[in-house]
Amino acid sequence: MLKPEKMVKISVVGPKEQLEYASETLHKVNLLHIEDPKEAEYFRIGEPLEKASLVSRSLVQLRSYISYLKIDPGRIVPKRKYRSKEIEDMLSKKLEEYQEQIGSKIEENRSIDEKIRGLEDELRIIEPLKVLGIPSRLLKGYKNLRCFVGFVKENPVEELSKITDQFDAVIKEYEKELLVAIFVKAEYGDDFFRTLQAFGYRELPVPDVDDYDARINEIEREKEELLNRKKQLETEIEEIKVKEAELLLAIEEYLSTELDKSEMPLKALVSKYTFVIVGYVPAKQLDKFRSEVERNGKIVVEVIEEEEEDVPPTKLDNPAVVRDYELLTTTYATPRYKEIDPTPIMAIFFTIFFGMMLGDMGYGLLITILALYLKTIFKTEGWQKLLNIAVYCGISSILFGFIYGEFFGPFIIPGMEEPSKIHFLGDALSALYTFNHHHPLFDRVEEFGVKALLFIVLLIGMFKMLWGFALGFYNVYIEHGMKEAIYEKGCWFIGVLGLVMLIFGFSYNLEIFTSPPEEGFGALLPDNLYILGSYTVEEGRAVPLPIPGLVDGWQAGVNIFYLLALPLLIVWFVIFLKAEIPKMGIFGIIMAVELLTWFGQIISYARLLAIGLSSVYIAFVINYLSVKIGTPPGMALLPVAIILLLIGHAGNLLLGILDPGLQSLRLHYVEFFTKFFEGGGKEYSPFGRVKKFLED
Amino acid sequence: MVDALMDYETFVKGCAAIGAGLAVGLAGIGAGAGESGIGAAAVGAIAEDRSFLGLGLLFTVIPETIVIFGLVISFILMFAYV
């Protein structure tokens, strides 16, 4: 956890004639992440094994069938697995059979499409000619006349008669355009053509058809026959798809495996008599790898000392539940090998944040059930991971819903102390809570709840901000040493700590830590932590920052937190200047404004409160309206009320999934990851294949 | 004129409430304007490459921080005066 799995750089060496055996074994073991080889004096990149071209040809053919049949391997769960030997035996026979069954059908289907297209093109010409009503033999073949047949946008006769009046024009309207046939003496032909072009003239090529009606009927008949044949072909293809899908995919897997193996030499360096393959193996698996590969006694596995510029691949190492969240981390970036893997932190806080925002037992339950149901439908790995996350988030929402006392909306009417009479479940729910007086444990629709939660989420924000910088410090320290780490991250850690102390000092003056609830959290701290006298909140007046010269009576407000903040901010500023001035010159000082950005990002955690509140109030409004509409003394339209409830809560649920999900993700990506996580690692992808349709 | 219609305290409370509304509303408009451009670009990128969906959605919600600022201001106003 928190670190990618440790890798060992190794080389696999053997005599050249063992290359095929090596590729076979490495593929089977499926552990070695092969590095791209660099050619050297005696070593050249190997050539693919002989069978590669044949295999890849068959594979291309097979894949074209699979894509034509629209078989989605992600949706198919194999009923039985095939042995490689079995596939190998039937391969050539099956390929021929498919060529015959599917290939010929695809071919025929394609030619039918082409014919239909040809017929439709012809129809598009003949139909206008039929409207024009002039037989085709009268439209062409003149010696002294030019005949223009085609479409124009407007009536050109007036323009044309300016050239000469010795012409004849037939004009018909056809689908918003004008269809014209214009006959003119050959000598005016070019002038007429130019004028017609100005009217957007589009020529119709006149075919040798005399009886338009007969030809149209003929085309229609032919087209119908072709369509029938096409439909028949499609049913046949569908039948093949149902029958052969699994075998097709098994063969595809087999051929892909064979192709991988036969192209492996491209990743190896080969000299006259030997070969070398360099790559990484997880340290834990090294012994297993070595014993498997060295089994025939002719190939040797050797561990290589890692060099400074080596970039090992990243294999995230997390327990099962956390592994689902790797999806969210890698969407941002793949951690580099030496970097901290933030997935476990993300797993905990993403789930908590989601629950904190949605915080409703009803919605949480629905999300959980929905996700569990969808898990039985969408079987691909990505979906499974995403839906697992949804289940955890659903459970977290139920827990927080219990704490907040919300079930499809708040349990307590906002602004009143007593349990809501217009709650969705009304008194039924009150009865459920035998400890009704103590529930909700934390009420976020009351004023105190909002204030307290606001402060709590800001606390979370400050904590995560500092944590982010601490992790960043570690990352930079590992890669570039202590000095860089202090300049780049440590400096801001101290700065933000100073900022946090300022916020605490401000809060202390607001009596948040010293007053009983309603005003604060109770007497958590003694109320005499003032340095220069004491301070009390004046009615209706915000607490000033004790800045000498700017605020009257500033001495009174100086408490221990402000006193702590001062040296922290000074230390931050000094380190900051030492780090920035050499790089940026004197104007680097402007960059100190960045401290305000971090303040903004702490405030940004207020969304944990805000998103939740909006969804609570939407739910509340839906419940309120429904009760008013559905029951006397309201309109007593129960069906309308029920529809409103269903639609309203469905919509709110949708928002409740999307918004907390996105905002929680954003709080990690933007406010947390930017402090320490750079990413850009190579994903560990071992040479080999996880078999789905085949078995060993 | 204010004195004639209501007392001073009510006037301040009313102004604070209006201010709180404006803080959220105007911040919302600002964030919406910001998001419109990002959203359009994100949709374009997603049309090119489906795998951009996650990141695109994320970029789109980034300006929402502004609304949160507005909201915090409105909370402070409401707590302090209303």
Side-chain angles (χ1 to χ4, degrees):
Chain A
M1 277 224 287
L2 283 177
K3 278 293 240 175
E5 206 169 317
K6 193 166 163 38
M7 292 280 160
V8 189
K9 191 176 182 186
I10 56 153
S11 66
V12 180
V13 186
K16 198 174 163 186
E17 63 271 14
Q18 288 292 322
L19 196 53
E20 190 167 351
Y21 172 81
S23 105
E24 192 80 31
T25 319
L26 291 178
H27 196 278
K28 205 170 100 197
V29 181
N30 194 10
L31 280 176
L32 181 66
H33 176 101
I34 302 179
E35 287 282 280
D36 285 334
K38 287 191 198 81
E39 293 195 331
E41 200 177 351
Y42 295 106
F43 284 95
R44 295 267 168 257
I45 289 173
E47 280 172 13
L49 302 179
E50 262 171 40
K51 60 182 176 182
S53 67
L54 179 70
V55 172
S56 62
R57 212 174 322 128
S58 313
L59 194 59
V60 168
Q61 200 186 4
L62 199 72
R63 282 191 183 150
S64 81
Y65 298 156
I66 289 175
S67 88
Y68 187 85
L69 294 179
K70 296 199 181 73
I71 299 173
D72 180 5
R75 304 287 297 263
I76 292 179
V77 182
K79 287 191 206 72
R80 63 159 287 208
K81 296 202 173 196
Y82 294 88
R83 273 173 293 120
S84 296
K85 189 85 185 73
E86 206 178 334
I87 301 274
E88 198 183 332
D89 289 342
M90 63 166 127
L91 183 64
S92 57
K93 206 183 100 215
K94 270 286 169 192
L95 279 181
E96 247 169 60
E97 198 182 307
Y98 289 143
Q99 165 67 23
E100 222 166 85
Q101 285 183 357
I102 310 172
S104 63
K105 288 199 173 76
I106 294 175
E107 209 49 50
E108 193 180 344
N109 207 351
R110 203 170 289 152
S111 80
I112 288 176
D113 282 342
E114 224 159 78
K115 276 185 201 155
I116 290 178
R117 218 172 304 133
L119 290 174
E120 277 169 355
D121 284 346
E122 198 182 340
L123 211 57
R124 258 196 291 277
I125 293 170
I126 292 182
E127 267 179 348
L129 288 178
K130 184 186 154 196
V131 172
L132 205 57
I134 306 173
S136 72
R137 70 192 141 81
L138 296 180
L139 289 172
K140 58 182 181 182
Y142 296 106
K143 269 188 190 145
N144 298 325
L145 285 180
R146 267 264 313 259
C147 177
F148 297 97
V149 184
F151 294 100
V152 286
K153 297 238 154 50
E154 280 168 59
N155 193 341
V157 170
E158 203 172 311
E159 276 304 302
L160 291 175
S161 45
K162 284 180 188 162
I163 301 169
T164 172
D165 52 3
Q166 294 186 334
F167 71 94
D168 212 345
V170 181
I171 299 174
K172 291 268 162 72
E173 236 175 78
Y174 187 83
E175 286 178 1
K176 290 182 191 164
E177 277 185 302
L178 289 178
L179 185 59
V180 294
I182 294 167
F183 304 87
V184 67
K185 266 189 170 175
E187 55 192 283
Y188 298 114
D190 290 344
D191 290 340
F192 264 53
F193 183 61
R194 265 192 294 280
T195 313
L196 281 171
Q197 268 183 329
F199 285 90
Y201 174 65
R202 206 148 43 77
E203 193 182 327
L204 261 184
V206 181
D208 293 319
V209 177
D210 274 334
D211 191 345
Y212 295 135
D213 281 322
R215 182 61 193 149
I216 289 174
N217 283 340
E218 208 176 314
I219 290 173
E220 294 290 353
R221 211 176 45 248
E222 267 176 56
K223 207 171 123 184
E224 193 159 321
E225 268 168 32
L226 288 171
L227 281 175
N228 281 340
R229 175 67 190 143
K230 193 174 155 76
K231 211 172 273 173
Q232 191 189 346
L233 273 177
E234 267 159 17
T235 14
E236 283 172 28
I237 288 173
E238 194 56 34
E239 273 167 25
I240 296 174
K241 178 178 167 179
V242 172
K243 211 174 81 188
E244 299 283 330
E246 269 182 44
L247 187 57
L248 268 167
L249 289 173
I251 296 178
E252 197 264 353
E253 194 170 289
Y254 171 79
L255 286 174
S256 308
T257 309
E258 288 305 306
L259 189 67
D260 285 351
K261 285 187 214 160
S262 51
E263 283 184 342
M264 200 276 292
L266 290 172
K267 294 178 175 176
L269 286 174
V270 181
S271 74
K272 208 167 172 189
Y273 302 109
T274 57
F275 74 88
V276 186
I277 301 163
V278 178
Y280 292 89
V281 172
K284 277 188 242 163
Q285 315 259 32
L286 180 63
D287 290 336
K288 181 186 163 205
F289 178 79
R290 192 194 292 271
S291 69
E292 286 277 334
V293 175
E294 288 183 346
R295 186 174 285 168
N296 80 340
K298 287 177 181 156
I299 300 174
V300 180
V301 175
E302 202 163 331
V303 176
I304 311 177
E305 197 80 0
E306 257 176 58
E307 285 164 38
E308 185 73 11
E309 66 268 22
D310 281 344
V311 188
T314 311
K315 184 184 184 214
L316 299 181
D317 179 24
N318 290 309
V321 174
V322 176
R323 209 170 297 146
D324 295 325
Y325 289 85
E326 284 173 5
L327 182 76
L328 301 182
T329 313
T330 47
T331 303
Y332 183 82
T334 304
R336 276 175 297 145
Y337 177 67
K338 288 180 180 168
E339 231 176 2
I340 283 173
D341 165 23
T343 314
I345 304 171
M346 179 110 173
I348 296 169
F349 282 93
F350 180 85
T351 320
I352 291 179
F353 285 0
F354 189 96
M356 256 182 119
M357 282 191 252
L358 187 56
D360 189 298
M361 284 185 277
Y363 292 145
L365 208 62
L366 273 185
I367 291 177
T368 314
I369 293 169
L370 207 67
L372 287 174
Y373 170 69
L374 288 176
K375 255 170 79 83
T376 59
I377 297 178
F378 296 104
K379 292 284 187 189
T380 57
E381 206 194 342
W383 273 109
Q384 288 287 321
K385 281 185 173 181
L386 197 66
L387 291 170
N388 279 339
I389 296 174
V391 172
Y392 307 140
C393 288
I395 293 170
S396 158
S397 304
I398 295 174
L399 285 178
F400 274 96
F402 182 77
I403 292 171
Y404 295 148
E406 286 170 25
F407 188 95
F408 290 112
F411 182 55
I412 300 254
I413 308 172
M416 285 190 204
E417 289 298 326
E418 58 184 294
S420 163
K421 287 278 186 293
I422 54 165
H423 188 274
F424 182 41
L425 289 182
D427 292 336
L429 197 67
S430 314
L432 276 179
Y433 291 117
T434 45
F435 50 104
N436 202 10
H437 289 304
H438 306 289
H439 206 85
L441 303 179
F442 186 95
D443 182 11
R444 63 170 166 174
V445 290
E446 283 302 316
E447 190 181 333
F448 169 67
V450 174
K451 274 186 193 171
L453 198 57
L454 183 61
F455 192 74
I456 290 170
V457 298
L458 291 186
L459 270 184
I460 295 175
M462 293 183 241
F463 169 67
K464 284 205 83 182
M465 193 68 60
L466 288 172
W467 195 7
F469 278 117
L471 293 174
F473 183 87
Y474 175 82
N475 273 345
V476 179
Y477 170 66
I478 290 290
E479 286 199 30
H480 305 291
M482 187 54 111
K483 196 176 149 196
E484 277 299 308
I486 290 178
Y487 277 180
E488 206 177 305
K489 303 290 178 185
C491 158
W492 289 111
F493 181 87
I494 296 169
V496 173
L497 198 61
L499 208 59
V500 168
M501 285 302 149
L502 283 186
I503 296 172
F504 273 25
F506 193 80
S507 313
Y508 185 81
N509 280 2
L510 278 176
E511 300 186 337
I512 284 177
F513 302 123
T514 48
S515 306
E518 292 303 293
E519 300 304 320
F521 286 125
L524 298 176
L525 293 173
D527 57 3
N528 54 1
L529 294 177
Y530 293 102
I531 309 300
L532 307 167
S534 75
Y535 181 88
T536 44
V537 187
E538 281 177 48
E539 197 60 43
R541 191 162 162 252
V543 185
L545 285 172
I547 304 171
L550 208 68
V551 179
D552 285 336
W554 59 273
Q555 297 94 335
V558 180
N559 58 37
I560 192 149
F561 294 107
Y562 285 133
L563 199 70
L564 287 172
L566 192 66
L568 285 171
L569 288 175
I570 292 173
V571 171
W572 157 71
F573 198 63
V574 170
I575 303 179
F576 170 79
L577 289 182
K578 277 192 91 163
E580 289 297 323
I581 299 291
K583 269 192 282 179
M584 312 272 296
I586 194 71
F587 289 106
I589 294 180
I590 295 171
M591 298 291 280
V593 175
E594 208 172 340
L595 196 63
L596 287 181
T597 315
W598 308 139
F599 180 69
Q601 293 200 350
I602 291 174
I603 300 290
S604 171
Y605 277 81
R607 71 187 68 227
L608 288 177
L609 162 76
I611 306 286
L613 272 189
S614 63
S615 112
V616 177
Y617 275 93
I618 292 174
F620 172 72
V621 168
I622 294 165
N623 291 342
Y624 184 83
L625 279 181
S626 306
V627 171
K628 288 286 172 195
I629 291 175
T631 54
M635 285 149 62
L637 295 169
L638 200 57
V640 179
I642 290 174
I643 291 170
L644 182 71
L645 266 184
L646 288 178
I647 294 177
H649 279 298
N652 199 22
L653 178 67
L654 197 69
L655 278 179
I657 296 171
L658 202 65
D659 222 20
L662 271 179
Q663 300 294 351
S664 178
L665 204 60
R666 175 228 142 93
L667 279 180
H668 284 91
Y669 284 179
V670 180
E671 270 85 10
F672 190 51
F673 282 3
T674 46
K675 308 290 172 299
F676 65 97
F677 186 39
E678 283 180 17
K682 271 187 299 184
E683 213 173 314
Y684 168 73
S685 69
F687 176 67
R689 204 169 263 272
V690 180
K691 296 194 169 70
K692 185 174 174 193
F693 298 96
L694 296 178
E695 60 185 358
D696 296 319
Chain B
M1 192 184 82
V2 169
D3 289 338
L5 292 176
M6 59 182 106
D7 59 88
Y8 178 71
E9 196 185 341
T10 321
F11 178 69
V12 169
K13 277 187 181 178
C15 285
I18 291 172
L22 283 176
V24 178
L26 290 178
I29 291 173
E35 272 179 27
S36 70
I38 303 174
V43 169
I46 294 164
E48 288 273 319
D49 178 4
R50 291 275 300 158
S51 68
F52 193 71
L53 181 70
L55 222 54
L57 269 178
L58 192 83
F59 285 150
T60 314
V61 296
I62 281 181
E64 252 160 56
T65 316
I66 301 167
V67 190
I68 306 288
F69 291 163
L71 194 83
V72 170
I73 297 297
S74 81
F75 274 146
I76 292 172
L77 278 176
M78 296 299 276
F79 292 153
Y81 295 106
V82 179

